[in-house]
């Protein structure tokens, strides 16, 4: 008969105070099994054996002991190791007690003068215990599978919901500049006023820029999803990058009357080995968001010297609407926005932060946000020097 332990010995715990019975049972079992035999003769040594031993394959117990009996031993076994079969080996105890034992979970009751039944009874008990264990294992595996299925279902539903949100945002995001282009082109054709012409052209150009930005974001996210981000690293002068990003975005700030500040790069941190265009894109995404979500005050960016020393940490700080704590993680996932669905006050496809996060991570860093609703947000990202 196979047992659970590695060396295949049958580990038996025998609760018995009669030396003669112990010898008798040991001899019977040794003939049938490779045996690991532990005997205990009272309650305290029985409890200790159950607690200390890793596991027994079988418990045998006399019915009457000086300070104890098999019924109480069974209750303890049920508590300590309910999956180990328990067989009572005793003189005649009467039908009532025997039935009570079986009712409480003993697998058999062997009368001492019919010991020929012992080995077949043990074989059956071990077989049943093994079947019970494999049933439990199967149930466990089933439960686990169910859990995973449920998770996958929730993920699929969430992803489905996000795709719908994305599609409806997208059609809005694409339609707005397209309508602008079409409407103002028509006006352009009809007017001869040079001042108006200039205004219309500038609006058309702005709409084209927006459209291009959306297309770029979609292309970027597809590249990220296909795991095809290519890095082109070189020695980058941060002061030049900062000046470039500042000049790129300054006019947008002027139009909205929001202050835009660029901090000087500390002398000792002037150069970094990284991907210049990705760095420009990350900074632009964060600064553009800062502007978009700020009604009054300023947006500033620079290098945070208080932070980590093995990585260079950049910051973009605004005095805008802020982000509630429970949204501060999810906004870095694609298509996620603080305001989703029909309540949306701000445009956007929900891709900028997901793209920035992928780029930062590809460059070996991290991105995070520190924000208080109605006060503002500071986005940080770290990049390694090398
Ligand atoms: P988009 O701005 O196109 O919606 P992003 O991925 O750039 O997509 O940003 C996701 C969301 O994170 C935004 O919709 C907004 O809810 C929130 N968010 C990002 N930056 C800021 C910010 N500076 N202040 C407040 N909320 C922000």
């Amino acid at each position: 008969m196979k047992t659970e332990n590695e060396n295949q010995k049958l580990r038996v715990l025998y609760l018995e105070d009669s030396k003669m019975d112990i010898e008798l049972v040991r001899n019977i079992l040794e003939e049938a099994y490779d045996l690991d035999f532990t005997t205990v003769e009272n309650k305290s040594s029985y409890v200790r054996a159950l607690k200390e031993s890793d596991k027994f394959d079988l418990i045998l117990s006399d019915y009457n002991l000086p300070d104890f009996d098999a019924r109480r031993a069974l209750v303890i076994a049920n508590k300590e190791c309910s999956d180990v079969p328990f067989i009572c080996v005793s003189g005649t105890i009467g039908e009532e007690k025997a039935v009570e034992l079986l009712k409480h979970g003993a697998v058999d009751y062997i009368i001492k003068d019919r010991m020929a039944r012992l080995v077949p009874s043990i074989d059956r008990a071990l077989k049943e215990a093994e079947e019970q264990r494999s049933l439990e294992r199967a149930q466990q595996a089933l439960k686990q599978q169910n859990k995973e299925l449920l998770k996958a279902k929730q993920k699929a539903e969430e992803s489905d919901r996000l795709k719908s949100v994305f599609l409806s945002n997208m059609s809005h995001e694409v339609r707005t500049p397209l309508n602008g282009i079409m409407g103002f082109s028509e006006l352009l054709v009809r007017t001869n006023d040079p001042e108006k012409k200039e205004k219309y052209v500038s609006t058309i150009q702005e709409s084209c820029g927006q459209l291009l930005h959306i297309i770029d974001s979609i292309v970027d996210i597809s590249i990220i999803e296909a795991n095809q981000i290519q890095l082109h690293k070189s020695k980058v002068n941060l002061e030049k990058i900062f000046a470039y990003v500042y000049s790129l975005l300054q006019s947008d700030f002027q139009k909205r009357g929001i202050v835009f500040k660029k901090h000087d790069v500390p002398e000792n941190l002037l150069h970094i080995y990284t991907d210049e265009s990705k760095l420009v894109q990350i900074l632009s995404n964060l600064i553009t968001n800062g502007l978009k979500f700020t009604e009054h005050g300023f947006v500033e960016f620079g290098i945070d010297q208080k932070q980590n020393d093995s990585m260079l940490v950049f910051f973009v700080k605004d005095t805008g609407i802020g982000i509630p704590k429970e949204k501060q993680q999810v906004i870095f996932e694609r298509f996620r926005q603080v305001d989703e669905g029909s309540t949306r006050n701000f445009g956007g496809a929900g891709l900028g932060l997901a793209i920035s996060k992928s780029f930062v991570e590809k460059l070996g860093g991290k991105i995070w946000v520190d924000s208080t609703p109605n006060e503002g947000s500071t986005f940080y990202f770290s990049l390694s020097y090398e």
Side-chain angles (χ1 to χ4, degrees):
M1 186 84 227
K2 274 196 160 191
T3 59
E4 265 219 324
N5 56 341
E6 267 171 20
N7 57 16
Q8 303 299 316
K9 278 192 176 188
L10 178 66
R11 294 159 306 174
V12 176
L13 176 65
Y14 188 21
L15 175 58
E16 174 62 85
D17 61 340
S18 151
K19 297 249 172 332
M20 213 176 70
D21 286 347
I22 290 175
E23 277 321 296
L24 177 67
V25 169
R26 185 202 298 276
N27 282 328
I28 293 173
L29 296 188
E30 268 175 356
E31 294 232 327
Y33 308 103
D34 193 1
L35 195 64
D36 181 343
F37 199 57
T38 307
T39 58
V40 285
E41 58 177 29
N42 53 35
K43 182 181 172 187
S44 58
S45 52
Y46 172 71
V47 171
R48 207 174 322 121
L50 282 187
K51 281 202 191 302
E52 281 170 8
S53 165
D54 179 16
K55 199 155 199 242
F56 291 106
D57 302 308
L58 175 72
I59 300 170
L60 300 176
S61 171
D62 188 9
Y63 193 88
N64 286 313
L65 292 135
D67 64 338
F68 205 35
D69 64 34
R71 213 187 69 75
R72 283 188 278 162
L74 181 57
V75 172
I76 296 172
N78 282 342
K79 213 167 87 196
E80 297 291 334
C81 47
S82 59
D83 58 336
V84 178
F86 186 104
I87 296 176
C88 181
V89 184
S90 174
T92 319
I93 54 171
E95 198 179 339
E96 217 171 283
K97 283 182 179 162
V99 169
E100 205 194 348
L101 277 177
L102 296 177
K103 238 168 62 188
H104 282 86
V107 292
D108 207 352
Y109 164 63
I110 308 282
I111 300 173
K112 277 181 180 167
D113 56 14
R114 301 233 185 99
M115 283 302 222
R117 276 194 58 228
L118 183 60
V119 169
S121 168
I122 292 177
D123 278 349
R124 202 186 45 174
L126 292 177
K127 192 163 165 252
E128 280 172 8
E130 181 48 35
E131 282 168 1
Q132 182 62 26
R133 274 193 288 269
S134 48
L135 193 71
E136 274 163 20
R137 276 197 294 268
Q139 279 173 341
Q140 207 52 39
L142 208 64
K143 259 193 205 156
Q144 185 59 27
Q145 258 178 1
N146 268 348
K147 248 195 208 162
E148 277 160 23
L149 270 175
L150 191 70
K151 246 200 214 156
K153 180 172 168 275
Q154 284 166 344
K155 215 169 153 194
E157 282 170 356
E158 174 67 355
S159 158
D160 195 39
R161 188 186 71 80
L162 286 176
K163 280 222 172 86
S164 309
V165 170
F166 171 70
L167 281 178
S168 87
N169 286 359
M170 219 24 137
S171 76
H172 176 259
E173 290 303 307
V174 172
R175 223 171 262 161
T176 312
L178 256 182
N179 285 342
I181 295 169
M182 283 165 64
F184 283 96
S185 322
E186 233 177 276
L187 291 177
L188 190 64
V189 174
R190 283 203 225 126
T191 185
N192 285 322
D193 179 344
E195 225 175 82
K196 278 188 179 163
K197 271 192 169 176
E198 200 179 312
K199 216 174 115 199
Y200 296 160
V201 167
S202 131
T203 312
I204 290 171
Q205 277 173 340
E206 209 172 283
S207 300
C208 287
Q210 282 172 21
L211 213 50
L212 205 60
H213 177 71
I214 292 167
I215 292 165
D216 282 344
S217 296
I218 295 173
V219 171
D220 279 340
I221 209 80
S222 317
I223 290 173
I224 289 165
E225 294 207 338
N227 216 356
Q228 297 290 326
I229 308 177
Q230 306 263 356
L231 293 181
H232 303 284
K233 287 191 176 183
S234 60
K235 189 175 169 188
V236 173
N237 181 322
L238 288 178
E239 193 56 56
K240 274 194 187 155
I241 295 287
F242 278 20
Y244 172 67
V245 171
Y246 187 82
S247 66
L248 204 65
L249 302 173
Q250 194 192 14
S251 62
D252 295 340
F253 279 84
Q254 272 168 354
K255 278 184 218 153
R256 295 262 326 273
I258 307 284
V259 177
F260 186 30
K261 283 192 247 177
K262 166 180 85 67
H263 287 244
D264 288 339
V265 179
E267 283 281 328
N268 55 331
L269 304 173
L270 211 52
H271 292 100
I272 179 175
Y273 191 75
T274 196
D275 185 314
E276 184 172 318
S277 72
K278 302 265 182 306
L279 175 58
V280 168
Q281 201 171 333
I282 299 163
L283 280 169
S284 310
N285 277 348
L286 297 180
I287 294 168
T288 317
N289 274 349
L291 174 63
K292 177 158 123 187
F293 296 101
T294 300
E295 274 301 313
H296 310 281
F298 62 83
V299 175
E300 58 182 356
F301 72 103
I303 285 167
D304 191 305
Q305 284 193 281
K306 300 188 292 292
Q307 303 267 350
N308 209 315
D309 49 9
S310 66
M311 306 281 274
L312 195 55
V313 177
F314 297 78
F315 73 88
V316 177
K317 180 177 164 63
D318 66 56
T319 54
I321 60 172
I323 300 158
K325 195 121 209 99
E326 70 277 8
K327 300 278 183 171
Q328 290 178 10
Q329 291 280 336
V330 295
I331 51 167
F332 292 100
E333 290 170 20
R334 69 211 159 100
F335 313 144
R336 298 302 301 260
Q337 298 176 311
V338 171
D339 242 356
E340 278 167 1
S342 53
T343 58
R344 241 157 56 104
N345 290 320
F346 298 90
L351 292 177
L353 288 180
I355 293 169
S356 303
K357 180 171 188 269
S358 296
F359 286 174
V360 168
E361 287 174 356
K362 188 80 184 174
L363 289 167
K366 283 197 177 124
I367 186 165
W368 67 100
V369 66
D370 187 2
S371 179
T372 309
N374 304 319
E375 283 185 21
S377 311
T378 308
F379 281 82
Y380 296 94
F381 63 95
S382 58
L383 293 183
S384 62
Y385 290 99
E386 292 282 300

